[in-house]
Amino acid sequence: MASLRAHLYDLAIRLAVKGRLGGTHDVFAIRRAFERAQFPAPSGVAFTRGTVGGVPGEWAQAEGRDTGRGADERPTLLYLHGGGFIACSALVYRPVTGRFARAGFRVFTPDYRLAPEHPFPAAVEDCTAVWAVLAEAGPAVLAGDSAGGTLALATIIEARRLGLTPPAAAALFSPATDLIGRSASFRTNGRRDAMFRPEALTRLVPAYLAGADPADPRASPIEADLSGFPPLLIHVGAREILRDDSLRLAEKAKAAGVPVDLTVFPVVAHAWQLAESFLPEARHSLDRAALFLHRTLEEGTHRAETGA
């Protein structure tokens, strides 16, 4: 059952965002709308600028007393922020990365290059460059939401192609997995989605792809061969137009033998994890994801130590 706050948040997003996004063809106006909504970051977390693999970004790390671990003992999480490939930054996503930091991760969020100034595959290249460095440093995991979920999947695809160590696991929040737009919920949830009308998202695709093939698996990961992928956690809202992008991904991954932990949340608006200071469903999603990532890392360590 959805919380009362989820219903209130759904209404607030519907009134404040949906009409404005649906009525403009200006990508930069959409960028401003995305970046205007900022939520408070969790307390007790240090955010510091850094560069990994030549890509600028931000580290989030909680104090030792918040996590029960020393700084050197915390596993690394690469978090890829959403924003439709055209907006947002590590700064906007501090509520999410800060909660992961308090859950015991050293989190790096790259400010990957954004379209339309830097179209596909610039963001994929940046995320892969960061992953190449983090993977060399030891076991690490990956997470992302919306466009960042797409980029997380693209990073796994590129890591496989380049022979890089894959992430031990990945947590995906409402990833866009089919930029061709074939998922049924893209049409059936047009009125139910609190944030997007289908035409609003449709306008972002050409700005991002700039003529590239939307069937490229790095753009539409549903087209990829998912065999050998790491365990996936997938959270999505029942009312989202991107709902079936997640359901189709989960079905295809399971068919390829990939462990999948899928949850469909009622009522919640797209990118609801950003509202963790207000919304119990946001805290539940992020805490579940952190537990999943830690558990998968520990299982991998146990197998390595025992040879099982």
Side-chain angles (χ1 to χ4, degrees):
M1 177 182 292
S3 69
L4 175 60
R5 290 191 175 195
H7 287 280
L8 293 173
Y9 185 66
D10 178 275
L11 178 61
I13 295 297
R14 192 178 298 274
L15 293 175
V17 179
K18 188 169 187 175
R20 185 165 63 243
L21 292 182
T24 181
H25 289 74
D26 184 347
V27 170
F28 297 102
I30 296 173
R31 177 182 290 176
R32 290 192 294 272
F34 279 165
E35 296 180 348
R36 188 177 297 124
Q38 292 197 22
F39 296 86
S43 61
V45 179
F47 297 96
T48 56
R49 296 296 298 176
T51 300
V52 176
V55 181
E58 184 175 81
W59 287 98
Q61 187 166 294
E63 296 180 1
R65 65 174 179 269
D66 290 326
T67 66
R69 300 182 183 210
D72 294 338
E73 297 175 325
R74 299 171 195 167
T76 300
L77 167 63
L78 171 59
Y79 192 87
L80 304 178
H81 69 76
F85 308 104
I86 59 96
C88 296
S89 64
L91 175 63
V92 173
Y93 269 78
R94 283 182 174 181
V96 173
T97 59
R99 193 163 188 95
F100 274 121
R102 293 198 62 169
F105 291 98
R106 295 178 65 248
V107 185
F108 185 74
T109 304
D111 286 322
Y112 56 80
R113 288 173 289 172
L114 299 174
E117 299 93 333
H118 305 284
F120 176 86
V124 177
E125 293 170 348
D126 287 353
C127 296
T128 304
V130 173
W131 177 255
V133 173
L134 297 182
E136 281 294 310
V141 289
L142 184 60
D145 70 287
S146 193
T150 314
L151 291 170
L153 291 163
T155 299
I156 297 171
I157 293 167
E158 282 294 271
R160 179 169 59 187
R161 183 181 70 84
L162 296 171
L164 305 175
T165 301
L172 309 170
F173 307 131
S174 308
T177 67
D178 184 356
L179 298 193
I180 301 171
R182 294 166 294 184
S183 291
S185 60
F186 202 75
R187 297 172 294 279
T188 60
N189 273 356
R191 303 182 102 182
R192 301 176 74 212
D193 191 300
M195 186 176 293
F196 295 121
R197 293 189 177 102
E199 58 268 25
L201 288 189
T202 300
R203 293 185 192 118
L204 299 180
V205 173
Y208 174 54
L209 293 182
D213 184 1
D216 186 319
R218 298 171 299 168
S220 294
I222 197 68
E223 296 295 314
D225 174 9
L226 302 181
S227 57
F229 262 48
L232 301 177
L233 174 137
I234 305 171
H235 288 175
V236 70
R239 298 180 177 184
E240 294 189 68
I241 61 175
L242 290 176
R243 180 197 64 201
D244 290 354
D245 276 30
S246 285
L247 300 187
R248 292 170 59 208
L249 174 70
E251 182 180 8
K252 184 171 183 178
K254 288 178 181 177
V258 178
V260 176
D261 184 335
L262 169 69
T263 303
V264 180
F265 286 72
V267 179
V268 292
H270 184 71
W272 76 93
Q273 290 84 4
L274 282 166
E276 63 85 33
S277 63
F278 169 82
L279 199 60
E281 285 87 349
R283 295 189 290 272
H284 181 58
S285 175
L286 292 170
D287 293 348
R288 284 265 309 274
L291 181 62
F292 170 86
L293 295 172
H294 275 302
R295 185 175 65 242
T296 308
L297 278 166
E298 290 166 2
E299 290 170 353
T301 300
H302 176 72
R303 285 194 298 270
E305 291 175 347
T306 63

